[in-house]
Amino acid sequence: MCFLQPPLLRHSILRRTSLAIRFPRPCSRSLSTGIFAKFVDMSPIPPTTNPIIISGPSGVGKGTLYSRLLANHPSLFTTSISHTTRAPRPGEQRDVDYYYVSMEEFEAMIAAGDFVEHAKFGGNRYGTSRKMIEQKRGEGKIVVLDIEMEGVKQIHALTPPFPARYVFISPPSTVDLSPYQVLEKRLRGRGTEKEESIQKRLEQAKLELEYSKKEGVHDKIIVNDDLEVAYKELEDYIFGKGGKAADEKEAGVSVQD
């Protein structure tokens, strides 16, 4: 017979009145450390397991916030695995980095309504499937999607409505600069892109900022002026401390899973 013990307590000796009492023989190292490791991540539980959709214009910092959320709560959140028609690149793993399918298979999935959103980039197709989201949910994970405005529009247009939580990351404004101008300053400050590329990003950003103003499009808008403040606001919303989901929970309204 064996008893599970925290790693630091294995083979410990309790001494009282010169009587040495040893703990019973511990189980295997892999079993005990694996079980106790589950208690290390003390993440709170969000009020809903619906996927979280994070969007925002290029250069606003949404990728940094997205990556930090996943890194801080690895047992709770996960990235989506997209279907794609492009060929695997060196180092990529099938069904880990992407689900690789033919163009015919992809088109058939669109016709069957298998995707919640899909897009075309560089002649290749990419899509997020309902099955993948439900599979991750079955594994106890909440899928976090980092998608563009067109993807957000597609998900909003689904019938019946697809339950999700929408977060928009916006650039700040200043006394002298609008959010759009602040974003332009950030993009140019990188010094890594040609003018043509910057103009394309700015044109898209203008559309996304306008779309974000529509009522009901996003559940939470976070202004990323300070990364630490923005990240805390993101966590507070996700874990039910701010935004629509928190308001519904406090009011006793059921949030659909």
Side-chain angles (χ1 to χ4, degrees), residues 111-127:
D114 292 342
F115 293 121
V116 296
E117 64 88 25
H118 57 88
K120 187 175 183 179
F121 297 103
N124 295 306
R125 307 296 294 268
Y126 298 83

Side-chain angles (χ1 to χ4, degrees), residues 37-153:
K38 292 184 178 180
F39 294 94
V40 174
D41 187 349
M42 302 300 290
S43 299
I45 304 300
T48 171
T49 59
N50 291 339
I52 299 164
I53 298 172
I54 300 178
S55 62
S58 177
V60 79
K62 67 179 183 295
T64 301
L65 294 169
Y66 169 89
S67 298
R68 186 168 176 178
L69 180 68
L70 294 171
N72 286 353
H73 307 282
S75 66
L76 188 58
F77 302 111
T78 185
T79 59
S80 65
I81 302 176
S82 298
H83 284 70
T84 183
T85 59
R86 74 164 173 78
R89 293 171 181 165
E92 290 183 345
Q93 299 181 56
R94 186 175 296 275
D95 299 343
V96 174
D97 295 290
Y98 288 97
Y99 298 118
Y100 300 97
V101 296
S102 67
M103 185 64 77
E104 292 73 19
E105 290 174 312
F106 197 97
E107 295 291 348
M109 292 181 72
I110 293 177
D114 292 342
F115 293 121
V116 296
E117 64 88 25
H118 57 88
K120 187 175 183 179
F121 297 103
N124 295 306
R125 307 296 294 268
Y126 298 83
T128 303
S129 74
R130 298 172 184 268
K131 182 178 179 180
M132 180 277 300
I133 292 174
E134 290 307 314
Q135 178 183 330
K136 294 299 182 182
R137 191 197 298 250
E139 296 171 0
K141 297 291 188 73
I142 297 173
V143 174
V144 184
L145 300 171
D146 176 2
I147 60 177
E148 305 297 329
M149 177 184 67
E150 291 305 319
V152 173
K153 288 182 176 180

